[in-house]
Amino acid sequence: MARYTGAVCRLCRREGQKLFLKGERCYSDKCSVGIRAYAPGQHGQGRKKSSEYGLQLRAKQKARRFYGVQEGQFYHYFELAERKQGITGENLLQILESRLDNVVYRAGFASSRAEARQLVGHGHYEVNGKRVDIASYLLRAGDVVSVCEKSKASEKFKAVIEANGARPVPEWMDLDRDALSVKVVALPERNQIDAPVEEQLIVEFYSK
């Protein structure tokens, strides 16, 4: 699957806000959005009027980039959200939040979602005692994600945990810092998700 390999700070500047794609840099004075709060490129500082479609497209792109999901997979999640009972937009956010790489990041076991995807792919985590190396694995209420025993002894991994240990953990997760494990107590409600996503615009975009 093709994946974006360019400068991720350009993506934040294009969306006009921090998407926290660069780990610690996003929390420092070096953040590109703070230094150059306009879109990249020679026309980035020009005034642009967005149409209704343009606003919907930007909302969809922002959500994709925030969670690090490719176009085809994002649309697949939207179809899943439509089939579930409840509000489609909220269902979509719930699905995105339940991805293994997102839970690893939210728990402070990685500096960014991109790093979480890499660490998951390298087999550093277990779900309910079994190693899972698929970043898009969807967790359910009651699932427990833990760091593998071999990984706990790694100096590099210890540094990652130490650097991100103070990050606030969402209330729908129960973190055991000593055991380096986190339990998904329940799938999150909309008011428990702090993602900068306008889900209604995404629903309108796909409903055309």
Side-chain angles (χ1 to χ4, degrees), residues 76-102:
H76 171 64
Y77 289 152
F78 178 79
E79 289 182 317
L80 288 179
E82 270 195 317
R83 291 197 293 267
K84 288 180 64 177
Q85 288 186 339
I87 302 172
T88 301
E90 294 183 10
N91 290 342
L92 176 62
L93 285 180
Q94 193 175 74
I95 291 170
L96 291 167
E97 284 288 318
S98 66
R99 282 173 55 102
L100 177 57
D101 57 354
N102 179 74

Side-chain angles (χ1 to χ4, degrees), residues 41-201:
Q42 64 179 0
H43 302 297
Q45 298 185 64
R47 293 185 177 180
K48 296 181 180 179
K49 292 184 178 179
S50 294
S51 63
E52 181 181 356
Y53 173 80
L55 292 173
Q56 294 165 356
L57 176 63
R58 290 264 57 85
K60 187 262 294 181
Q61 294 294 75
K62 185 188 296 184
R64 282 206 312 108
R65 290 165 174 173
F66 185 76
Y67 287 102
V69 178
Q70 293 299 299
E71 184 65 49
Q73 193 169 35
F74 191 85
Y75 182 63
H76 171 64
Y77 289 152
F78 178 79
E79 289 182 317
L80 288 179
E82 270 195 317
R83 291 197 293 267
K84 288 180 64 177
Q85 288 186 339
I87 302 172
T88 301
E90 294 183 10
N91 290 342
L92 176 62
L93 285 180
Q94 193 175 74
I95 291 170
L96 291 167
E97 284 288 318
S98 66
R99 282 173 55 102
L100 177 57
D101 57 354
N102 179 74
V103 171
V104 164
Y105 167 72
R106 293 284 195 189
F109 296 161
S111 300
S112 65
R113 287 180 179 82
E115 184 177 60
R117 282 191 294 277
Q118 185 181 54
L119 293 173
V120 170
H122 290 172
H124 288 288
Y125 305 99
E126 295 178 345
V127 177
N128 300 328
K130 295 183 179 180
R131 183 174 295 183
V132 177
D133 58 6
I134 301 173
S136 60
Y137 182 89
L138 298 180
L139 298 167
R140 299 178 180 179
D143 284 347
V144 177
V145 179
S146 56
V147 178
C148 295
E149 287 300 322
K150 283 187 177 181
S151 301
K152 292 179 182 178
S154 167
E155 292 301 321
K156 183 176 181 179
F157 202 86
K158 286 180 181 178
V160 171
I161 298 297
E162 185 176 348
N164 300 283
R167 185 188 303 149
V169 178
E171 56 189 68
W172 51 277
M173 296 164 54
D174 183 16
L175 176 65
D176 186 337
R177 297 188 188 277
D178 295 328
L180 291 182
S181 67
V182 61
K183 180 178 181 179
V184 178
V185 178
L187 294 182
E189 301 294 333
R190 181 62 184 96
N191 60 359
Q192 298 174 316
I193 301 173
D194 61 358
V197 176
E198 297 175 272
E199 64 274 15
Q200 184 56 38
L201 291 178

